Amino acid sequence: MRISGGWTGRVLRVDLEKEKHTAQNLDPKVAVELLGGRGFAAKILWDELEPGTDPLSPENRLILAAGPLTGFALPSSGKLVVAAKSPLTGGYGDGNIGTKAAVQLRKAGYDVAVVTGRAPNPSVLVIEDDEVKLEPAGDLWGKSAEEVQDELAERFEGAGILTIGPGGERLVKFAVITSEHGRAGGRPGIGAVMGSKNLKAIVIKGTKDIPAANPEELAELGKEGYKVVREADAYEFWMRQGTMMTVEWCQKQGTLPTYNFREGVFDGWEGISGATMEREFKVAQKGCPNCNMICGMVNEIKTGPMAGKRTELDYENCAMLGSNLGIDDMNWVLTLNLYADEQGIDTISLGSVLAFVTEAYELGMVSDAKLEGIRPKWGDGESMLRLAEMIAERRGFGEAMAEGVAKLAEGIGPEAQKFAMHVKGLEISAYDCHTLPGMALAYGTSPIGAHHKDAWFIAWEIKMGREIVSREKVGRLIEMQRIRGGFFEAAVTCRLPWIELGFDLEWYAKYLKAATGLDFDWRDLNRIADRIYNLVRAFWVRENPDWDRKMDYPPDRWFEHPLTKGPYAGQKLDRGIYDQLLSYYYDIRGWDERGIPKKSTLKEFGLEYVIDGLEAAGVKLTE
Ligand code: PTT
Ligand code: SF4
């Protein structure tokens, strides 16, 4: 089989230790079976990592993976999957970042770049078409992600730039990769993997055309798509508030994370709402490349230590650094958000660690001596910023906090583990699930740990009925995972045109046809998605041969402590119901009661090589 478009057909391999690079041909069978992005990343990690590889060792792979739609002139196509074995969870890890680097990687002639080894000294990797070189990072090392972005943008005009902040250099386990002031990706510590390779930045610039099987048709369809997006009913409101509209919605639904997910409503929500942002703080708007529904809401901080500075705000950042810490002053939310961006650390995990420490301090499990005299208090932005500095600098107890909430709680004891809000080691993003067993299941079964990106099931569950416990409900959740975590993470484009503005999925089948010349219908695409989910699950199981369904459970807090406020006061999750939903999930996926893919399932998706790998790791598979 030959590739006639869509994929560039080339994979860039960079070995930092040997300072060598090669371009390999992409296997067309892999392209058609796994599409791109997350699919390629999972295959590379499965094929090339020995089980038990230290994620921060030179052997780990830092993968930048585009897909067959990335970079073309079609709605919101400037996205890139960044992946590696996660230092935070020890399992499969990835994130999706909107960046010029996505477009430039493809223009440089590559679908994927795989970086191995560790540079002998802090370096910048520069990829300009076929020329690939390592430059000394010099005094960029130690600088904030924003400063590095600006300095490199001046030197490499028009290039795509990925950077880490000091948090990534110091291997904070939830360090992210950042780009263009306000884009961040790789929640499970992909920024720490980049730091462990001594890479401060990656600069990418390409001059080639991205090949398409039918370029005229693709260009025409792209234009039509932009028009449809522009004319969507919800467009105008989306352009005003973007994801920030979710604060009010979550408050009304009783699902706004508050005081370390103890409650789902926050008295001070109006101080941090989308409307407040729009009225009092928003000064500009920007977005990812190739997007005409730009949602980067740029805000100016008015008071506090960063007054006068600007920062982009999204819902997850706002809830985790706002209501979840009891903060109702937007100035402090923006300050913490900017600090996280400068240091290159994930806002969701940061918010979760800060909330956990505040609660542990309240309960006398952590002393203020450990916290350098800081006395964390709900709603107190100043003390939160001081703790964040300890984390980013790995100072004193900051060493323990920088390991993420799961390890931190483990070090304190079993009682603390009950309110450590994570699944598989990844901190939970901003939806309280006391009343939402389906959304809790989405967190429980997400392929990277507790993240909402694979199934933002909450809206659908609320509409259908939170109390419903049925196979159909779980079936809908899996359908959602196929589209979001399967298709969009493999294609690779932004999912928001579809989610927020109802941009019809059939557009994507048309784009794929014009780009690749191949006829993918949604049955094919769902099958690809299921193949990817099985491969990713197999990766996790190979790393944890004694895998058990407990790995897919949300934290005790949601089962044990009912809400005390709001419309759902008194409610909590029920373990029996969660277990029933989980069993439906495994059954539909063709996994056994432990959550391990059955042999027959792996065969069905052409993953026979996975069977051998799992058995070699000592996993007993069910027929
Ligand atoms: C994403 C996660 C999110 S999801 C947010 S806000 W969100 C947080 N953003 C952070 C940030 O900013 N700075 C920081 N230091 N840490 C941050 N951590 C959090 O990271 C993002 C948008 C958003 S905004 C969302 S929902 C959608 N996510 C998509 C996705 O996952 N896939 C896809 N195909 N399309 C998507 N479109 C939307 O993109 P992670 P971005 Mg992100 C400052 O990276 O690891 O996936 O975690 O990439 O370019 O910032 O766009 O209410
Ligand atoms: Fe980026 Fe927002 Fe556009 Fe998606 S909708 S591509 S996140 S600017």
Side-chain angles (χ1 to χ4, degrees):
M1 184 197 287
R2 276 193 57 243
I3 289 174
S4 62
W7 299 277
T8 66
R10 295 202 319 160
V11 177
L12 175 66
R13 296 272 176 175
V14 180
D15 185 329
L16 297 172
E17 232 137 58
K18 298 188 183 132
E19 291 201 35
K20 273 190 160 172
H21 71 275
T22 50
Q24 296 174 337
N25 290 333
L26 175 67
D27 179 348
K29 187 167 177 290
V30 171
V32 171
E33 288 185 352
L34 294 166
L35 214 57
R38 176 181 269 180
F40 290 173
K43 172 102 170 89
I44 290 165
L45 293 176
W46 174 271
D47 286 347
E48 299 178 20
L49 288 195
E50 283 296 324
T53 300
D54 175 356
L56 297 178
S57 69
E59 286 72 36
N60 199 0
R61 270 54 176 166
L62 173 64
I63 302 168
L64 313 180
L69 296 185
T70 309
F72 285 119
L74 55 89
S76 311
S77 71
K79 287 271 184 184
L80 186 68
V81 168
V82 291
K85 179 175 173 183
S86 161
L88 184 64
T89 67
Y92 173 81
D94 70 20
N96 195 309
I97 182 165
T99 168
K100 274 189 210 154
V103 184
Q104 296 299 322
L105 180 72
R106 299 264 286 159
K107 285 192 165 181
Y110 309 106
D111 297 310
V112 189
V114 186
V115 183
T116 55
R118 175 181 290 142
N121 298 299
S123 305
V124 174
L125 175 64
V126 182
I127 302 168
E128 289 178 299
D129 288 332
D130 297 339
E131 208 179 302
V132 180
K133 59 179 188 255
L134 217 49
E135 292 191 356
D139 66 359
L140 293 179
W141 197 257
K143 285 192 175 167
S144 76
E146 328 294 82
E147 288 171 293
V148 177
Q149 166 74 36
D150 290 344
E151 287 188 30
L152 290 174
E154 213 173 293
R155 264 186 65 202
F156 297 92
E157 216 190 315
I161 297 161
L162 301 170
T163 73
I164 56 166
E169 294 171 17
R170 296 195 183 103
L171 312 180
V172 172
K173 295 280 172 64
F174 44 90
V176 285
I177 295 178
T178 75
S179 192
E180 296 157 31
H181 294 258
R183 309 282 102 197
R187 289 196 55 216
I190 312 303
V193 173
M194 189 158 149
S196 75
K197 301 201 170 303
N198 252 336
L199 273 188
K200 182 67 182 175
I202 302 176
V203 176
I204 312 177
K205 203 165 172 186
T207 57
K208 303 173 190 171
D209 286 332
I210 308 169
N214 193 339
E216 290 81 23
E217 190 189 343
L218 187 59
E220 200 44 50
L221 284 168
K223 259 194 240 160
E224 285 175 35
Y226 281 119
K227 190 160 175 284
V228 172
V229 166
R230 178 73 191 79
E231 288 171 358
D233 291 343
Y235 185 83
E236 193 262 336
F237 188 57
W238 172 258
M239 291 295 278
R240 280 170 40 203
Q241 293 194 8
T243 58
M244 281 292 291
M245 64 167 111
T246 317
V247 174
E248 182 172 355
W249 185 81
C250 276
Q251 169 75 8
K252 285 193 175 139
Q253 304 304 333
T255 60
L256 186 67
T258 303
Y259 306 127
N260 197 27
F261 290 88
R262 278 204 300 237
E263 304 292 346
V265 291
F266 178 48
D267 289 342
W269 72 274
E270 277 169 300
I272 58 166
S273 70
T276 299
M277 174 204 73
E278 194 188 347
R279 200 175 52 242
E280 296 175 29
F281 294 90
K282 185 176 159 186
V283 288
Q285 191 155 349
K286 61 198 200 33
C288 311
N290 295 357
C291 180
N292 71 335
M293 49 178 285
I294 52 172
C295 67
M297 303 292 149
V298 183
N299 296 281
E300 191 166 297
I301 306 171
K302 292 181 174 166
T303 59
M306 295 196 184
K309 289 193 173 181
R310 293 179 171 200
T311 183
E312 254 183 65
L313 193 63
D314 271 299
Y315 166 70
E316 304 291 331
N317 311 331
C318 184
M320 294 306 289
L321 299 173
S323 52
N324 203 43
L325 301 178
I327 294 179
D328 61 4
D329 178 350
M330 186 67 103
N331 285 292
W332 275 113
V333 172
L334 293 170
T335 300
L336 290 166
N337 185 60
L338 179 55
Y339 184 73
D341 276 357
E342 288 178 345
Q343 298 300 316
I345 53 182
D346 177 47
T347 50
I348 296 172
S349 295
L350 176 65
S352 195
V353 170
L354 295 178
F356 172 85
V357 171
T358 305
E359 186 162 350
Y361 176 75
E362 230 176 28
L363 295 170
M365 294 178 181
V366 179
S367 67
D368 46 359
K370 265 199 166 155
L371 300 178
E372 301 182 344
I374 302 164
R375 296 174 177 188
K377 221 170 52 206
W378 301 115
D380 176 17
E382 175 81 39
S383 60
M384 298 300 168
L385 182 61
R386 297 283 89 81
L387 289 180
E389 287 166 355
M390 287 178 73
I391 295 172
E393 293 169 21
R394 276 189 176 272
R395 223 174 57 221
F397 193 61
E399 278 287 357
M401 294 191 278
E403 294 297 301
V405 87
K407 290 258 163 55
L408 178 59
E410 213 178 285
I412 296 177
E415 280 309 305
Q417 283 170 282
K418 291 186 175 173
F419 59 87
M421 302 307 287
H422 71 93
V423 177
K424 301 185 183 68
L426 184 69
E427 288 77 9
I428 292 173
S429 49
Y431 304 94
D432 183 79
C433 290
H434 276 91
T435 61
L436 296 163
M439 186 65 207
L441 184 68
Y443 280 138
T445 58
S446 148
I448 61 167
H451 198 27
H452 59 288
K453 79 162 155 204
D454 284 77
W456 195 72
F457 194 56
I458 176 170
W460 193 87
E461 182 171 31
I462 287 172
K463 213 158 131 198
M464 186 189 193
R466 303 179 200 223
E467 69 295 346
I468 287 178
V469 183
S470 70
R471 203 180 154 86
E472 190 206 347
K473 187 177 205 176
V474 177
R476 292 302 295 265
L477 166 61
I478 290 175
E479 273 172 36
M480 198 173 269
Q481 288 183 331
R482 286 178 178 136
I483 300 169
R484 294 172 58 118
F487 174 72
F488 283 106
E489 297 313 312
V492 169
T493 70
C494 179
R495 61 173 187 253
L496 296 183
W498 166 63
I499 292 170
E500 302 293 345
L501 304 185
F503 188 61
D504 200 288
L505 288 175
E506 281 313 316
W507 281 99
Y508 295 100
K510 288 189 217 163
Y511 289 146
L512 274 177
K513 172 103 198 273
T516 65
L518 303 173
D519 246 328
F520 290 96
D521 62 23
W522 273 93
R523 248 207 339 243
D524 303 323
L525 296 172
N526 286 338
R527 208 174 136 68
I528 291 171
D530 285 346
R531 184 174 293 120
I532 296 171
Y533 268 73
N534 277 288
L535 186 52
V536 170
R537 172 58 59 132
F539 183 85
W540 277 96
V541 174
R542 192 176 64 174
E543 293 294 334
N544 302 276
D546 53 354
W547 188 273
D548 177 70
R549 62 194 285 134
K550 295 232 157 40
M551 292 292 278
D552 294 332
Y553 281 10
D556 286 348
R557 159 143 293 166
W558 287 338
F559 293 113
E560 292 183 1
H561 296 279
L563 295 167
T564 67
K565 291 169 72 176
Y568 300 96
Q571 292 200 19
K572 59 184 171 75
L573 284 186
D574 180 285
R575 282 188 200 277
I577 287 177
Y578 187 82
D579 250 328
Q580 176 68 70
L581 293 174
L582 190 58
S583 291
Y584 286 141
Y585 183 92
Y586 291 158
D587 192 43
I588 298 172
R589 282 233 171 265
W591 298 354
D592 66 20
E593 275 292 307
R594 297 168 297 170
I596 299 177
K598 293 179 184 168
K599 266 189 189 175
S600 52
T601 307
L602 293 169
K603 283 182 192 157
E604 188 191 333
F605 291 106
L607 296 172
E608 282 81 358
Y609 59 93
V610 166
I611 298 179
D612 300 339
L614 287 175
E615 288 184 336
V619 181
K620 280 216 167 351
L621 292 172
T622 310
E623 285 300 322

